[in-house]
């Protein structure tokens, strides 16, 4: 039987996503534009499996991964979101799901896919959480079992998204490159640096991987087409492309909810 249990009271700690009420119009439109760009970027690739990562920690990759999965599912695509961050998993908290079983118990052979997948978390969106944190995350993601799993699942889903740890900190994402179409890098406005992003891009290239693009988040929408501020925990305004190079500080004030912006 598929794993469908949710964490009691978990919604109080869930990060804001496109599922929340009163999401600002510029946010939903930005994700729709990103959805279109991703579809074009993957149209000539060997499959529609891609990883979402960042250069460093706390740049918003996990929240962006969740929202990309949601917006793809809202377009009537059958989507699977895999929490491949086997060191600091987040997606079970984003969607208020249990995490007793997950990717780690699936790859190790303890459980089957049917036992660990959360079906239809929203319409058309299935989620595989991390499961118990293993002692060997890189080896698990780069294993033959993981490759075979992705190959089998690609026949059943229109898109498979893998949330992975930061590339400049650990090599986990790079071990997946021969099984996926490419990597979408997430950068945080006024925090991510050109040097850090360039290091991540070079690591992808050195491993013969494909960079699908760079998404800049935390961009303030103060003027222009939509005008004014809108209330949201993090201000979003996504750009798709390769223009970056910002002033930064790796220190970060804690949020009012005490969460890391993974």
């Amino acid at each position: 039987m598929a794993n469908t249990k949710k964490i009691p009271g978990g919604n109080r700690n869930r990060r804001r996503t496109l599922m929340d009420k009163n999401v600002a119009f510029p946010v939903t439109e930005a994700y729709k534009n990103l959805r279109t760009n991703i579809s074009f970027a993957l149209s000539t690739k060997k499959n529609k499996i891609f990883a979402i990562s960042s250069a460093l920690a706390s740049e918003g990759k996990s929240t962006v991964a969740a929202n990309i999965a949601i917006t793809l599912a809202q377009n009537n695509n059958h989507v699977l979101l895999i929490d491949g961050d086997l060191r600091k998993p987040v997606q079970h908290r984003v969607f208020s799901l249990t995490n007793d079983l997950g990717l780690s118990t699936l790859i190790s052979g303890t459980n089957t896919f049917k036992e660990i997948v959360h079906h239809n978390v929203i319409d058309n969106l299935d989620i595989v959480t991390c499961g118990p944190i293993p002692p060997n995350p890189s080896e698990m993601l780069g294993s033959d079992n993981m490759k075979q799993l992705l190959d089998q699942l690609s026949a059943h889903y229109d898109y498979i998204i893998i949330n992975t740890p930061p590339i400049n900190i650990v090599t986990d994402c790079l071990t997946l490159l021969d099984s996926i179409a490419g990597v979408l890098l997430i950068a945080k406005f006024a925090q991510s640096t050109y040097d850090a992003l360039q290091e991540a891009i070079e690591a992808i290239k050195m491993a013969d991987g494909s960079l699908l693009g760079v998404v800049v988040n935390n961009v303030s929408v103060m003027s222009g087409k939509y005008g004014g501020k809108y209330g949201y925990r993090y201000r979003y305004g996504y750009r798709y492309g390769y223009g970056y190079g910002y002033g930064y500080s790796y220190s970060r004030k804690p949020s009012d909810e005490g969460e890391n912006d993974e």
Side-chain angles (χ1 to χ4, degrees):
M1 181 176 179
N3 185 13
T4 57
K5 291 183 179 180
K6 293 195 174 186
I7 301 170
N11 285 339
R12 289 192 297 271
N13 298 316
R14 182 169 56 80
R15 300 173 186 220
R16 294 186 184 275
T17 67
L18 295 179
M19 296 187 299
D20 294 329
K21 296 179 179 178
N22 303 319
V23 175
F25 179 73
V27 177
T28 58
E29 286 302 299
Y31 274 110
K32 287 179 182 178
N33 289 334
L34 180 54
R35 177 178 66 199
T36 300
N37 288 331
I38 290 172
S39 297
F40 277 116
L42 294 176
S43 62
T44 59
K45 300 295 184 179
K46 60 184 178 181
N47 58 42
K48 292 188 177 180
I49 307 172
F50 63 101
I52 293 181
S53 190
S54 58
L56 299 168
S58 300
E59 295 183 319
K61 64 177 177 58
S62 297
T63 303
V64 175
N67 282 325
I68 289 174
I70 291 168
T71 194
L72 284 170
Q74 288 174 338
N75 204 36
N76 295 319
N77 297 295
H78 194 196
V79 180
L80 177 65
L81 173 61
I82 299 175
D83 195 342
D85 192 336
L86 302 181
R87 302 169 187 269
K88 193 177 179 183
V90 169
Q91 297 302 336
H92 64 286
R93 296 204 306 271
V94 173
F95 292 94
S96 301
L97 301 170
T98 57
N99 193 38
D100 299 329
L101 310 175
L103 183 63
S104 61
T105 61
L106 174 60
I107 296 175
S108 66
T110 306
N111 295 104
T112 66
F113 181 76
K114 289 183 178 180
E115 290 172 332
I116 61 97
V117 65
H118 296 267
H119 282 296
N120 285 319
V121 176
I122 65 169
D123 288 345
N124 300 315
L125 176 60
D126 295 349
I127 295 177
V128 169
T129 61
C130 165
I133 295 176
N136 55 342
S138 291
E139 289 77 6
M140 274 199 159
L141 288 183
S143 67
D144 289 338
N145 285 351
M146 183 65 178
K147 291 179 173 64
Q148 292 171 13
L149 173 67
L150 293 177
D151 184 58
Q152 293 168 5
L153 292 176
S154 64
H156 300 283
Y157 289 94
D158 297 313
Y159 293 95
I160 298 176
I161 303 166
I162 310 172
N163 187 98
T164 64
I167 289 175
N168 293 0
I169 297 177
V170 291
T171 61
D172 298 19
C173 179
L174 302 181
T175 66
L176 293 166
L177 291 179
D178 60 350
S179 301
I180 64 177
V183 181
L184 189 66
L185 276 179
I186 309 304
K188 189 171 184 179
F189 182 76
Q191 175 173 309
S192 300
T193 69
Y194 177 88
D195 289 344
L197 282 169
Q198 191 62 43
E199 182 180 345
I201 292 169
E202 289 300 322
I204 294 170
K205 290 180 178 179
M206 287 290 291
D208 294 325
S210 175
L211 177 67
L212 300 178
V214 176
V215 178
V216 182
N217 70 29
N218 206 43
V219 178
S220 177
V221 181
M222 296 292 292
S223 60
K225 184 176 179 181
Y226 302 108
K229 284 187 177 181
Y230 53 85
Y232 206 64
R233 182 175 168 224
Y234 295 112
R235 295 176 297 179
Y236 287 109
Y238 290 94
R239 299 174 182 173
Y240 185 86
Y242 303 94
Y244 47 76
Y246 308 109
Y248 69 98
S249 170
Y250 289 126
S251 62
R252 179 178 179 273
K253 293 181 180 179
S255 70
D256 55 357
E257 298 180 23
E259 295 179 351
N260 291 324
D261 184 19
E262 286 298 323

